[in-house]
Amino acid sequence: MPQNPISEKQLAANRANAARSTGPRSPEGKARAAQNSRKHGFTPSTFAVVRLEDLHDIAHLKDDLLAVYKPINSQELFAVERIALAQQALLRAARLESGLFITCLNETLDSAGQPMVLMSPELAGDGDIEITRAQNRNFLLGEGFHRMTSKSNSWSLFLRYQAQSERHYRRAVEELERLQRLRSKPSNEPILE
């Protein structure tokens, strides 16, 4: 819908008001104004894995980071969003690790859920059932791990993914801290009163 043309008198009044404006003064107002030119935002739906991750969890990561780091410009906000994505990748890696260990155990169970191999009786020790159960679970996990690593490189790929996620997180935090240090340094620009 087209706007009504503004009168010369109103235009002059608007310009006079704008010339007297000092802009936002509070830190909250400055932070809000710093986001005025931002055209797009962080949308969790773009970064979530369907049926694995809750969109709200990713949004909460960002909200928590905003509360902690309090970005004041678009570059700091971008760094905070990178931290949120890196945290999400770290959580994803933890879930992946859990799934891989479950797969290791699954490699050693038959279709009825019974172990295909058992620890030798000599290793079971004094016959304490709880200790023996725990030892058998650990043995089955180790045996499944051995089987998986001998026929696939899933674990080495997982470790690379995990290390990369940790590097991305560390770099994103370092970049945000660098940007925040820059705001406290005095500027070389002349101060015009």
Side-chain angles (χ1 to χ4, degrees):
M1 180 175 191
Q3 293 181 344
N4 293 334
I6 191 167
S7 70
E8 286 298 319
K9 186 176 178 182
Q10 184 63 49
L11 184 61
N14 287 350
R15 287 184 177 151
N17 285 337
R20 286 192 302 271
S21 174
T22 60
R25 294 182 183 194
S26 70
E28 296 82 14
K30 289 178 182 180
R32 191 173 47 252
Q35 303 308 315
N36 284 346
S37 66
R38 191 157 173 89
K39 301 284 188 256
H40 57 83
F42 179 88
T43 53
S45 61
T46 307
F47 305 107
V49 175
V50 177
R51 297 182 185 223
L52 177 65
E53 298 164 343
D54 184 356
L55 297 179
H56 300 295
D57 291 345
I58 300 170
H60 291 308
L61 285 175
K62 181 187 172 199
D63 292 342
D64 289 345
L65 290 167
L66 289 173
V68 169
Y69 289 112
K70 298 176 180 48
I72 63 165
N73 58 41
S74 62
Q75 291 304 304
E76 288 183 11
L77 181 60
F78 181 68
V80 165
E81 290 170 352
R82 283 182 55 208
I83 294 171
L85 291 174
Q87 281 184 341
Q88 184 63 19
L90 288 170
L91 294 171
R92 196 176 289 142
R95 285 191 293 273
L96 179 57
E97 181 180 28
S98 175
L100 284 170
F101 276 122
I102 292 168
T103 302
C104 286
L105 282 171
N106 196 51
E107 285 284 314
T108 60
L109 300 175
D110 64 19
S111 60
Q114 296 300 312
M116 291 187 277
V117 290
L118 288 177
M119 186 171 56
S120 70
E122 294 83 36
L123 292 176
D126 61 9
D128 184 339
I129 295 198
E130 279 305 308
I131 292 173
T132 303
R133 251 190 226 134
Q135 287 173 340
N136 271 319
R137 280 193 299 267
N138 293 341
F139 171 74
L140 292 171
L141 181 62
E143 177 64 21
F145 183 84
H146 175 70
R147 289 179 184 192
M148 275 188 66
T149 56
S150 65
K151 62 183 175 181
S152 151
N153 65 346
S154 297
W155 279 94
S156 60
L157 291 174
F158 160 72
L159 291 172
R160 285 173 50 191
Y161 176 76
Q162 184 182 44
Q164 181 183 30
S165 299
E166 289 170 357
R167 273 192 310 275
H168 285 169
Y169 177 77
R170 187 184 70 250
R171 287 178 185 161
V173 170
E174 288 170 356
E175 175 63 9
L176 177 62
E177 289 170 347
R178 183 188 71 78
L179 291 168
Q180 289 181 331
R181 279 191 308 272
L182 285 177
R183 69 166 112 135
S184 63
K185 285 187 178 180
S187 172
N188 290 335
E189 300 295 319
I191 299 174
L192 303 174
E193 298 273 337

